[in-house]
Amino acid sequence: MKKRMGMDKQTVRTLNRLIDMKVDTEKKLTALTIQDILSMQGVTVSEIHIITELQDAVKKHKVISYLGQGTDDLPKKTEKEDEFYGREGEDY
């Protein structure tokens, strides 16, 4: 069974901090400039990193993947499966 990773504590704290600052929508998050982020009282380098990664995830429509640390990688087919099901592009 795969161990569930989830969000780390720093990410949760940073998200809570953003929400407390009324940055509670994707539009508000992506509108933050680096100057806005740097003006946050007591902002740390790791928080800056989390905020910019979260902005990137929103732009790529991958928020759940970012927060859950998941991927959409599908298992690769084996050669035997290709032989059984036929190779892509082959006519039957």
Side-chain angles (χ1 to χ4, degrees):
M1 177 180 251
K2 184 178 178 181
K3 184 178 177 185
R4 195 172 137 218
M5 298 278 295
M7 290 187 286
D8 65 25
K9 291 179 184 179
Q10 182 64 45
T11 301
V12 173
R13 281 193 296 264
T14 304
L15 284 171
N16 285 329
R17 189 168 177 192
L18 288 168
I19 292 166
D20 290 344
M21 295 173 47
K22 306 295 185 226
V23 180
D24 52 5
T25 67
E26 289 84 355
K27 186 174 182 177
K28 290 176 186 176
L29 178 70
T30 56
L32 286 178
T33 65
I34 193 66
Q35 289 81 12
D36 296 329
I37 297 168
L38 292 172
S39 70
M40 293 170 57
Q41 187 172 355
V43 70
T44 65
V45 172
S46 63
E47 287 176 318
I48 294 168
H49 184 70
I50 290 168
I51 293 168
T52 56
E53 281 186 337
L54 188 54
Q55 286 176 320
D56 190 44
V58 168
K59 290 175 187 173
K60 293 179 180 178
H61 305 283
K62 299 281 186 177
V63 175
I64 300 300
S65 297
Y66 171 74
L67 295 176
Q69 300 174 348
T71 63
D72 286 332
D73 296 337
L74 299 174
K76 303 243 188 239
K77 286 184 185 177
T78 64
E79 269 191 51
K80 285 194 177 278
E81 286 175 319
D82 279 342
E83 289 173 14
F84 181 77
Y85 293 110
R87 298 188 190 277
E88 283 187 39
E90 284 186 0
D91 292 330
Y92 295 99

